Amino acid sequence: MISSINSRNIIGIDSCDIKVEVDIGKGMPTFNIVGLASTEIKEARERVKSAITNSGYRFPNARIVVNLSPADMKKQGSFLDLPISLGILRDKIHSKDKEMTNSVFVGELSLDGTVKSIKGILPIVIGARENGYEKIFIPRDNFKECSFIDDIEIVPVNSLKNCISILNGGTTKLETEGVKSEILKDEEQNHTEDEKIDFSDIKGNTYVKRCAEIAVAGGHNMLMIGPPGSGKSFLAKRMTTILPDMTRDEMLEVSRIYSVCSNSVERSGLIERRPFRAPHHTSTGISLIGGGTDAKAGEITLAHKGILFLDEVAEFNRKTLESLRQPIEEKSVNISRLKYSVTYPSDFILVAAMNPCPCGYYRSNIECRCRRYNIERYLGKLSGPFLDRIDIFTEVKSVSFDEINSKMKNESSEEIKKRVENARKMQYKRFNGNAGKLNRDMNSSDIDEYCKIDENSEKVLEMIFNKYRLSNRSYIKLLKVARTIADLDQRENIKESDILEAFSMRRTYYTYFSRLHD
């Protein structure tokens, strides 16, 4: 007897069709799995055998060969347990071949026949829908993660026996409704437990808040320098509150990433908030960029469409920081292995923070104990090419007593967010509806077309260029930031004041770094 069951394989954050072919024939009793199966898939032989027996079915005393097609593609994970079991028990299933052909099955089996949750269910379901399948059978515990996907029937199953019962005409209505009611209950509970953070919490540092607003509006990378306790991390965590809400496509893209990469057993459904990732400065290059033997995604991918915050950036390994340069420019990272390669998205805003010296108090109101050589060596940990990827540099000063004790109401995240959204709308219109393109992504032709300046602005720009010996990259970044400032004021033309404000956000670079990289 030969049976065929459809499943899917994860590749990066996408999935592809896997056909599980099971041949039960005469001969010495054996159970072999072929088709470039990983160790965890080969171990399915014992899980499947125990699950079938403990579910009340008789395991065939015959020669069993399982072929995973296409045979030249590496298969990883434990999600093929369920389709392998169904292929072996095909004679117990009354569904017609056409119904089985239009369905996909994924799930890991416990020894007692329970179907356990798997990682990466979201791209599997989306891929099945895109390939025209009508129905997909998934573990019950994964239903919450993909319940919002339309145009494909998602059937949650809790055991091998339950799955066969449904295939033989059993109802799924009560099971599905029960899971959905649990989802609504969990969402209400999570909503009440959410921590509320807001820009109005930030006392003083008005100029730094302005820099953060401009950075978010145009997608510009930002570096903050200041003494310990001045509020750098406090501000960075609140920058996600002024980012525009994600579109439906962005939500799906981010949710797919977390579905594949998250190690959490209790995964939420559609991710609606932009990510904020803050890896520790001891993080390795693999954990930050991605890689390893199984080519996992790194922090830069988990920060996709959100913010990557590198606190104490000067303490990161220099090679690790240098490896960020290409993903920042390309907004993606390609991880190659011997027989395959995976491309992960990495479209994020980089926000970095650092102390001005090893003791942390250089140019502050507390006496610095560092020698000049130590200060320059510390600042020199950030290379010129890495700093070239930063658009905005700003100093964060210690807050005074009067600012901390002030009763004046600060501007809320909602007010700032409205200006950011209006600026993003101008960019959306400017770039012909390309939501993924921001001012930071403008090329030379875009600069010529959209960054037109009057005669006075041109004279100011020329003076700055000659006095500070701007590089071509620095000159372009200055214009991009000026363009964003004009967008925040809802103006089509860049004024002299925009050029001056944009340059003020590079003065910190010349204060700390220019002598090191001249």
Side-chain angles (χ1 to χ4, degrees), residues 106-108 110 114-122 125 137-147 154-159 162 175-176 178-180 182-183 186 259 264-269:
V106 289
E108 177 186 342
S110 294
T114 302
V115 180
K116 300 171 65 176
S117 62
I118 61 171
K119 290 204 310 184
I121 191 65
L122 191 55
V125 174
F137 290 73
I138 66 169
R140 185 183 189 276
D141 291 341
N142 283 125
F143 186 72
K144 176 181 178 181
E145 192 176 344
C146 53
S147 58
I154 303 173
V155 182
V157 295
N158 54 27
S159 67
N162 174 226
E175 179 72 14
T176 305
V179 178
K180 286 185 175 179
E182 289 180 15
I183 292 171
D186 290 343
S259 177
S264 173
V265 176
E266 292 296 329
R267 300 181 185 88
S268 59

Side-chain angles (χ1 to χ4, degrees), residues 273-292:
R273 296 185 180 182
R274 293 189 181 272
F276 178 85
R277 305 294 300 186
H280 194 259
H281 60 78
T282 58
S283 299
T284 63
I286 289 177
S287 66
L288 192 65
I289 306 299

Side-chain angles (χ1 to χ4, degrees), residues 211-223 236 239-240 242-244 274-278 299-300 303-310 324 327-328 331 346-352 389-392 420 424 427 438 440-441:
C211 290
E213 178 182 343
I214 294 169
V216 166
H220 304 290
N221 300 322
M222 184 172 81
L223 173 64
M239 286 179 68
T240 54
I242 61 174
L243 278 166
R274 293 189 181 272
F276 178 85
R277 305 294 300 186
E299 289 289 336
I300 62 172
H304 185 61
K305 297 301 179 182
I307 289 175
L308 177 68
F309 178 49
L310 301 184
L324 282 172
I328 289 174
K331 297 195 290 187
S346 60
D347 182 7
F348 56 86
I349 298 174
L350 174 65
V351 179
R389 269 69 180 178
I390 307 294
D391 300 351
I392 296 173
V420 171
R424 288 281 184 103
Q427 294 168 63
L438 301 174
R440 67 172 179 201
D441 305 314

Side-chain angles (χ1 to χ4, degrees), residues 164-173:
I164 293 176
S165 173
I166 293 171
L167 288 171
N168 287 337
T171 180
T172 64
K173 185 177 180 181

